[in-house]
Amino acid sequence: MKVSKSQNSQIVRRKSQFVPRLIITFSILLVVSLTVFFTTRKIIKNINSVPSISKVYEYWNKKEYQEVFSTCDLILKGKPYNSTALAYKGYAAFCLSISQSDLELSHEYIDSAINSLRLSLIDAPESLKPQINYMLGKAYFHKNSISAYYYYADSVVYYLNEALNLGFSAPDIPRYLGLSYAQLSMTEESIKSFSEALLTDENDELLLAIAEQYIKNGQPENAKQYLFRIRSTSNDDIMILKASEFLASIYIEEGNYEEALSEYNSILEKNPYNADVYYGIGVVYEKMGDMVKARAEWRNALKVQVNHPGALKKLS
């Protein structure tokens, strides 16, 4: 059969279009393949560049807290609500905060610790919650200690009690609770916590703290026991002087003025530059009805501390 001239031209035209179309198709496939290849390689590279949580544990066990903090940050960029990374970032930030001599930097780290730990509680496994609450309580206690105003004692109490209710135990919890209850003027709770703390760690600071709470709670006889213990066992002159000062104030309330003077004079023998002691001696003489001696002692207080509020008020 004969092929017409027009049919022949169509065949030629189709053949001439086949090669460009093939090239275009191949080019498209090549571009798609390269895009898929490089995208996949980038995803794999990004996945490989994100450290695993095992790396966090490794740094934590070595006490490399800055590395723990930075590694958790990398993990959280991809998984912002990873509760384990958030918890360990909080732990590390707390450790970094308490090691800082720069107060501003210490504030930044402790705020980061509190924020991370609170976020971690949202989705934390039950096994982690007791320790997270414990660390939150400690973080708020530290924030309280470095702040100009003490607004966080209630948070310390809340989170430490949450940790205890969840079965967590640590020897420093009673001391933190005792100090925080004291700031909240919860004297009975403070005494109970301090008494518990003394069972595992008897020291002068705790003895003095519990004595002060007994004084505030109107139980001077109980306070005396702890103050006498400091006097008889302590090697710290500062703590002994503080105990004598508390004892003198108790004796004044009891009307035992000679004992109060004896305590104050024992303090002045070791530290003649204590304005509060001169003020206290003045109060004793005032109670005894000797205003000449009383005013002389208040003037001595002002020689040591020109703006002593008590002495200024008495002499005004």
Side-chain angles (χ1 to χ4, degrees), residues 199-218:
L199 296 175
T200 56
D201 180 28
E202 181 172 320
N203 60 65
D204 296 337
E205 183 184 1
L206 279 175
L207 291 170
L208 193 69
I210 196 169
E212 184 176 8
Q213 291 307 302
Y214 272 123
I215 292 170
K216 289 181 177 179
N217 206 39

Side-chain angles (χ1 to χ4, degrees), residues 2-268:
K2 273 185 158 188
V3 178
S4 68
K5 192 174 182 181
S6 62
Q7 288 176 325
N8 189 53
S9 63
Q10 286 177 4
I11 293 169
V12 172
R13 194 179 304 114
R14 286 173 187 168
K15 286 182 179 179
S16 65
Q17 291 175 348
F18 175 75
V19 174
R21 286 176 179 173
L22 183 63
I23 292 172
I24 291 170
T25 303
F26 178 77
S27 299
I28 292 170
L29 288 173
L30 181 62
V31 170
V32 170
S33 299
L34 288 173
T35 302
V36 171
F37 172 76
F38 285 112
T39 302
T40 304
R41 194 170 78 165
K42 185 176 181 181
I43 291 170
I44 293 171
K45 185 178 179 182
N46 288 338
I47 292 171
N48 291 334
S49 67
V50 176
S52 66
I53 203 70
S54 61
K55 200 68 180 174
V56 173
Y57 298 147
E58 180 185 331
Y59 287 135
W60 179 259
N61 291 332
K62 293 178 181 178
K63 298 183 179 180
E64 296 177 1
Y65 302 126
Q66 187 60 62
E67 293 298 330
V68 174
F69 187 87
S70 301
T71 304
C72 288
D73 256 350
L74 288 173
I75 294 172
L76 293 168
K77 282 181 180 178
K79 297 179 179 179
Y81 296 105
N82 183 312
S83 59
T84 304
L86 283 166
Y88 275 88
K89 181 182 177 181
Y91 301 161
F94 172 80
C95 295
L96 290 168
S97 178
I98 63 174
S99 67
Q100 295 299 318
S101 56
D102 184 330
L103 190 59
E104 185 176 349
L105 198 55
S106 183
H107 272 291
E108 288 178 11
Y109 276 123
I110 205 63
D111 286 340
S112 176
I114 290 169
N115 183 58
S116 297
L117 291 169
R118 291 186 64 163
L119 284 173
S120 73
L121 274 177
I122 295 172
D123 197 32
E126 293 301 315
S127 59
L128 270 181
K129 286 183 178 180
Q131 184 163 328
I132 294 172
N133 277 287
Y134 166 67
M135 289 301 296
L136 258 172
K138 288 183 69 169
Y140 273 113
F141 184 87
H142 181 61
K143 185 173 177 65
N144 215 33
S145 67
I146 62 175
S147 299
Y149 301 99
Y150 304 126
Y151 293 143
Y152 307 100
D154 56 341
S155 295
V156 179
V157 168
Y158 174 80
Y159 285 108
L160 290 182
N161 277 318
E162 278 292 295
L164 290 172
N165 292 335
L166 291 169
F168 191 87
S169 63
D172 55 0
I173 289 179
R175 182 170 65 88
Y176 288 134
L177 282 175
L179 292 168
S180 300
Y181 281 133
Q183 287 182 352
L184 295 169
S185 299
M186 300 172 69
T187 52
E188 291 185 8
E189 292 85 350
S190 180
I191 290 168
K192 182 180 177 182
S193 295
F194 281 139
S195 299
E196 187 179 343
L198 283 173
L199 296 175
T200 56
D201 180 28
E202 181 172 320
N203 60 65
D204 296 337
E205 183 184 1
L206 279 175
L207 291 170
L208 193 69
I210 196 169
E212 184 176 8
Q213 291 307 302
Y214 272 123
I215 292 170
K216 289 181 177 179
N217 206 39
Q219 298 173 275
E221 289 303 316
N222 288 336
K224 283 181 184 178
Q225 297 176 31
Y226 294 95
L227 297 171
F228 287 143
R229 198 186 305 181
I230 294 171
R231 289 262 297 269
S232 61
T233 63
S234 179
N235 295 316
D236 187 334
D237 285 343
I238 293 175
M239 297 303 291
I240 292 171
L241 295 179
K242 286 182 178 179
S244 291
E245 207 167 335
F246 276 125
L247 280 168
S249 67
I250 291 173
Y251 289 138
I252 291 174
E253 289 299 315
E254 293 175 342
N256 194 344
Y257 303 132
E258 292 301 327
E259 288 292 341
L261 285 175
S262 177
E263 292 295 337
Y264 281 137
N265 286 324
S266 70
I267 297 171
L268 291 177

